[in-house]
Amino acid sequence: MMRYSNWTVVILALLLAAGCGGGKEERAEQQVAATDTGQAAGSGGESVGAGSQGATTGEGEAPEGGVTIETRIGKLSFTHDFANGYPTDETKEKLFDEMDFQRATQAYIWAIPIVSFAQWQHEHENVFKAKSGDIVHYPDYVSKLGLLTANTTTPYALSFIRLNETGPIVVEMPEAKVRGAVHSMWQIAIAPMTEPGKYVFYAPGTEKPDVPADYKVFESPTNSVFFGIRLMSKDEEERRDALSKIEIYPLANEGSAADTTVIEAGDTRWAGWQPRGITYFERLADILNREPVDERDRFFHAMLKPLGIEKGKPFKPDARQKEILTEAALVGEAMAKANDFENPRLEQSIYKKGSHWEIATVSPPDQRWEHYDSLDGRAAWFYEAVTNDPAMQSKTPGKDQIYLAAYKDSDNDWLDGANQYRLHIPPNAPAAEFWSTTVYDVSTRAPIDNKQRLADKSSRMDLIKNDDGSIDIYFGPTSPPGKEKNWIPTVPGRAWFTYFRFYSPTEAYFDKSWLLPDIDKASW
């Protein structure tokens, strides 16, 4: 009786494993039941599904006596039931490919901040031919078409410096209307530079330089650093004069350094956004080889090793690795889009419940919350922007800035370049200095590239006002008759989004007594 009972159990287990049932959930329950039954039968002295463990019965199918399980990645086959069996060779290969693919997509999300700067540094050095410490000047709309969510009204002067090649570097900030900062390649601020004086930066793990007491000295966590300033004066001559007084030179050359080279970006086409395809991982492999490994990132380095990205070794992916990485760059960016554009998982982005405006800066400047690092928040921000200073997240009325972002209209539809829209700005917008709204292409996250060379409107411009002091801004492929001054052109066939910036936000922003309405569809 015992032998008969055991064979009955075996037959039932095999029938269940073969999928004699309804949908995926039912089959999964049957597979678990079969596994449990097999364990019970095995305890009676006979192995379940004993037989050939060699060739499979078909592509991806289990050998005789084994089991094939349907999963979200396809069929997985084992030499016995799942608990008691080994994965077949075909299943092992599939699982390793899937493991590497999943890890590559997550590495894409993790690496967004550093790949962004690595790409910009690549363009800085290869397109503009800038050397370490040279400044590239981006004064206007055209020069900023490669720059992630640039403010098109404020001129920028930017530099990448390779501290491991130059040794300690000095940055002299003049008495002028300039705001600057130095950031690591992971886009974490090292030092704000809002006061005149001499700032010294040196590479990680090297000896702190001996300098006069009034120098401000900082050890960088990365070998390369990004130095950026905004030229704040409204007068072009004053801006040019301020730029000419900024000096960058090796500490070893102090007293004999040549003037800092300033390169005009002009109308040169360049791409500061994260590259697509295998190039994304080429940039990642290059920058990881040049930078120290942060303790918090060691597991990601382990995940990248089977994909051919390993510190100290050249990146030479084989055909299998290239195929996985190329698709992972596509899926990784798709995940980045879902994570960035109106993501309800990012609670920090909520401006007002029910509003389609959201707070754009969803990561703390140091990228750390109390119990975890801001993986999704920093990926969302740095997919569409660069740098993240405390000044970009004002907490005090009358100081710094606040950025709001909108990707959908009041009907919960994505903003589209073929449609017409209106943004109604109530009177007395809470910005002590000024406000601006800027349109960006979803494809590049840079200022919208239109034939009118126009991406923004601000309270500093001569705009048409309504009788109550409110202002309507219009977006669309054609201008509203008689209201061209308030129009930002969009491009059919391309999605877009916008930032609304408050410079020196006032109390009415913080207490929500003034609220920015959603963007409405319009027609003219």
Side-chain angles (χ1 to χ4, degrees):
M1 291 293 292
M2 179 62 71
R3 180 175 296 274
Y4 177 80
S5 176
N6 280 347
W7 278 110
T8 301
V9 170
V10 169
I11 292 169
L12 286 171
L14 290 173
L15 286 171
L16 288 170
C20 297
K24 287 184 179 179
E25 291 184 5
E26 186 176 346
R27 288 200 300 273
E29 291 171 1
Q30 291 167 349
Q31 288 153 6
V32 172
T35 298
D36 294 342
T37 305
Q39 290 171 332
S43 66
E46 293 193 16
S47 62
V48 176
S52 170
Q53 297 181 16
T56 60
T57 57
E59 186 177 351
E61 296 298 328
E64 183 181 350
V67 64
T68 297
I69 301 172
E70 291 280 358
T71 74
R72 67 188 302 157
I73 65 168
K75 294 179 179 180
L76 303 178
S77 298
F78 300 87
T79 57
H80 294 291
D81 59 76
F82 177 75
N84 292 299
Y86 291 108
T88 63
D89 290 344
E90 293 87 347
T91 289
K92 283 184 66 176
E93 183 179 354
K94 176 184 286 187
L95 287 169
F96 280 128
D97 284 350
E98 183 66 22
M99 186 185 301
D100 288 342
F101 174 74
Q102 290 187 17
R103 287 176 171 181
T105 60
Q106 296 311 299
Y108 181 103
I109 293 169
W110 159 76
I112 283 173
I114 199 168
V115 171
S116 174
F117 262 8
Q119 171 66 14
W120 196 353
Q121 185 178 34
H122 176 273
E123 300 291 277
H124 188 84
E125 295 173 351
N126 291 276
V127 174
F128 297 113
K129 307 301 179 185
K131 298 181 177 64
S132 180
D134 289 352
I135 290 174
V136 178
H137 181 217
Y138 306 87
D140 53 23
Y141 163 85
V142 175
S143 64
K144 296 174 184 176
L145 286 175
L147 180 50
L148 293 178
T149 48
N151 175 345
T152 56
T153 60
T154 304
Y156 297 131
L158 309 167
S159 179
F160 283 93
I161 306 167
R162 297 189 180 224
L163 297 173
N164 55 322
E165 297 177 3
T166 63
I169 205 89
V170 180
V171 180
E172 286 192 29
M173 294 290 284
E175 286 270 7
K177 293 179 180 179
V178 295
R179 294 179 184 174
V182 167
H183 294 77
S184 76
M185 293 302 284
W186 283 100
Q187 305 209 45
I188 297 175
I190 299 170
M193 303 171 74
T194 55
E195 297 177 357
K198 293 186 177 184
Y199 297 77
V200 178
F201 301 89
Y202 63 101
T206 61
E207 185 176 352
K208 181 178 180 179
D210 185 17
V211 295
D214 61 337
Y215 288 27
K216 300 176 179 66
V217 183
F218 303 89
E219 179 180 2
S220 169
T222 52
N223 289 320
S224 287
V225 295
F226 169 82
F227 166 59
I229 65 166
R230 296 176 180 179
L231 303 168
M232 303 303 294
S233 174
K234 296 178 183 178
D235 182 80
E236 184 175 354
E237 235 179 79
E238 283 186 14
R239 293 197 300 266
R240 291 281 177 182
D241 181 64
L243 181 58
S244 70
K245 292 177 180 176
I246 297 170
E247 297 292 341
I248 304 174
Y249 53 85
L251 180 62
N253 296 348
E254 190 168 32
S256 60
D259 290 343
T260 300
T261 298
V262 176
I263 299 167
E264 293 294 332
D267 59 0
T268 301
R269 287 285 176 165
W270 64 287
W273 52 89
Q274 297 86 351
R276 295 190 167 99
I278 192 69
T279 308
Y280 184 93
F281 290 101
E282 291 172 348
R283 293 284 180 274
L284 178 59
D286 173 66
I287 191 65
L288 292 183
N289 245 332
R290 293 192 281 115
E291 295 297 348
V293 179
D294 195 302
E295 193 65 27
R296 71 182 182 180
D297 295 329
R298 293 174 67 88
F299 280 119
F300 279 97
H301 283 261
M303 289 163 60
L304 289 167
K305 186 174 180 291
L307 290 158
I309 299 176
E310 184 175 1
K311 188 168 177 63
K313 294 185 179 181
F315 179 50
K316 296 180 179 179
D318 59 28
R320 170 188 170 274
Q321 291 166 330
K322 280 184 179 178
E323 182 180 359
I324 289 173
L325 290 171
T326 300
E327 187 174 2
L330 174 66
V331 176
E333 185 176 6
M335 291 176 174
K337 285 173 177 270
N339 179 62
D340 180 7
F341 303 139
E342 195 154 305
N343 178 5
R345 295 184 177 191
L346 298 174
E347 301 96 337
Q348 300 85 5
S349 69
I350 296 173
Y351 167 58
K352 178 185 179 294
K353 190 174 180 179
S355 173
H356 287 293
W357 287 100
E358 60 182 55
I359 298 170
T361 47
V362 290
S363 173
D366 65 357
Q367 302 176 10
R368 298 205 137 175
W369 296 111
E370 182 180 3
H371 301 300
Y372 59 93
D373 283 2
S374 182
L375 179 63
D376 290 344
R378 78 172 190 180
W381 173 243
F382 291 121
Y383 179 67
E384 67 175 36
V386 287
T387 74
N388 189 13
D389 295 321
M392 299 162 77
Q393 303 184 28
S394 176
K395 302 290 190 294
T396 306
K399 292 187 63 177
D400 303 327
Q401 306 109 44
I402 290 288
Y403 300 166
L404 298 184
Y407 313 98
K408 288 185 173 183
D409 64 23
S410 57
D411 294 326
N412 199 36
D413 294 324
W414 296 110
L415 297 170
D416 191 277
N419 299 332
Q420 297 166 330
Y421 303 91
R422 179 184 71 109
L423 170 62
H424 179 71
I425 304 169
N428 305 314
E433 289 190 41
F434 70 100
W435 58 259
S436 71
T437 185
T438 310
V439 171
Y440 303 100
D441 278 322
V442 164
S443 174
T444 63
R445 285 86 65 207
I448 188 168
D449 189 356
N450 55 36
K451 65 181 181 181
Q452 292 85 359
R453 296 190 168 190
L454 176 63
D456 76 321
K457 294 295 176 183
S458 81
S459 57
R460 286 180 168 178
M461 298 178 179
D462 179 23
L463 301 177
I464 300 170
K465 293 184 178 180
N466 301 318
D467 291 342
D468 62 355
S470 64
I471 294 174
D472 293 322
I473 302 296
Y474 299 90
F475 312 91
T478 59
S479 62
K483 299 177 181 177
E484 290 82 1
K485 284 185 175 182
N486 293 27
W487 171 57
I488 302 177
T490 60
V491 181
R494 303 207 312 250
W496 60 274
F497 65 97
T498 185
Y499 276 10
F500 194 97
R501 291 175 168 94
F502 300 85
Y503 289 90
S504 299
T506 61
E507 185 64 41
Y509 170 84
F510 293 96
D511 65 18
K512 297 291 189 291
S513 58
W514 188 98
L515 292 170
L516 186 63
D518 284 343
I519 297 171
D520 294 319
K521 289 187 181 70
S523 59
W524 50 81

